[in-house]
Amino acid sequence: MERGKHQHFYRKLHSLSGIIPVGVFMTVHLFVNYSATWGMDSYNKAANFMVNLPFKYFLELFVIFVPLLFHGIYGIFIARQAKNNIGSYTYLRNLKFFLQRITGLIAFVFIIWHVWETKVQVEFNGVEANYHLMANIVDNNLSLILYIIGILSCVYHFVNGIWTFLITWGITISPQSQKITQYISFGLFIALAFIGIRAILAFA
């Protein structure tokens, strides 16, 4: 019983961490990248502002990386235990359940790669965090395609995570409320996916 309580707590914490702060940071990051659509100088100003935030390393460690690692690692544990409930739920709900796990794994690998290509290079190899850094990363078609897949996976995982978060935390209990938030989450997915893909194409 005690183990079950702990697991319930960790699952709720996992759900929360995917929204706040990980999902919020991802959304801010997408909007910062979207500034590249207005030109190189616009992106460099936005990136420079983010790089020079007060208490940057504290914020990166405790607001981004620790919650992200917890969400990603515990998410893998959940995914290994998960089974589609084909007999209990509709096809659409099971499809979303499956895609949530797959996109979570893709997103986790993509984020590690993205951090390696950007944060690690900036901090340890003296690369400047500017427009040219991202332009060089997506300079070939394979990298660009992988980035688009990664962005779409992150956005879907976050948006569908909002929908499941509202259910997990008892906010949307009725089928009607879940259907409404499902439509809202779909609209949010379209909006953030557009922002993310439009932004990465601005570097290509």
Side-chain angles (χ1 to χ4, degrees):
M1 180 67 70
E2 194 66 26
R3 182 181 177 184
K5 287 182 179 179
H6 288 163
Q7 192 174 69
H8 179 71
F9 170 76
Y10 289 139
R11 282 179 177 263
K12 295 199 77 170
L13 185 60
H14 172 263
S15 176
L16 179 62
S17 66
I19 309 300
I20 304 171
V22 175
V24 172
F25 172 75
M26 184 205 73
T27 303
V28 171
H29 194 51
L30 288 176
F31 276 97
V32 169
N33 286 350
Y34 191 78
S35 64
T37 63
W38 303 321
M40 184 189 304
D41 290 339
S42 179
Y43 174 78
N44 286 341
K45 287 179 183 178
N48 186 63
F49 173 78
M50 295 297 291
V51 167
N52 293 296
L53 283 174
F55 310 108
K56 181 185 74 170
Y57 293 112
F58 176 85
L59 292 172
E60 286 177 341
L61 181 61
F62 293 104
V63 177
I64 301 172
F65 292 119
V66 170
L68 180 60
L69 284 173
F70 167 75
H71 188 80
I73 293 171
Y74 194 72
I76 292 172
F77 169 76
I78 293 173
R80 285 173 59 87
Q81 289 188 324
K83 294 181 181 179
N84 283 7
N85 298 297
I86 297 173
S88 302
Y89 298 113
T90 63
Y91 173 80
L92 178 60
R93 195 151 182 171
N94 271 286
L95 179 62
K96 293 177 66 176
F97 179 90
F98 174 74
L99 288 175
Q100 185 70 359
R101 270 68 189 159
I102 294 298
T103 56
L105 292 172
I106 295 173
F108 192 51
V109 173
F110 168 70
I111 290 168
I112 292 172
W113 176 44
H114 179 59
V115 170
W116 173 264
E117 292 281 359
T118 54
K119 179 65 178 175
V120 173
Q121 303 307 315
V122 169
E123 295 294 338
F124 299 103
N125 292 330
V127 177
E128 190 174 351
N130 59 19
Y131 179 94
H132 294 294
L133 171 62
M134 285 303 305
N136 289 334
I137 292 173
V138 296
D139 190 40
N140 64 82
N141 289 334
L142 178 59
S143 293
L144 179 60
I145 290 169
L146 291 176
Y147 253 81
I148 290 173
I149 293 171
I151 290 167
L152 290 176
S153 295
C154 289
V155 170
Y156 177 86
H157 191 76
F158 169 56
V159 170
N160 191 59
I162 294 175
W163 183 71
T164 58
F165 169 85
L166 294 172
I167 297 172
T168 301
W169 286 75
I171 299 171
T172 53
I173 301 173
S174 69
Q176 182 65 21
S177 63
Q178 292 175 17
K179 182 177 289 187
I180 291 171
T181 53
Q182 183 171 275
Y183 292 141
I184 293 172
S185 65
F186 179 74
L188 185 59
F189 170 77
I190 296 298
L192 291 180
F194 172 81
I195 290 169
I197 293 175
R198 182 70 182 85
I200 201 64
L201 290 177
F203 295 107

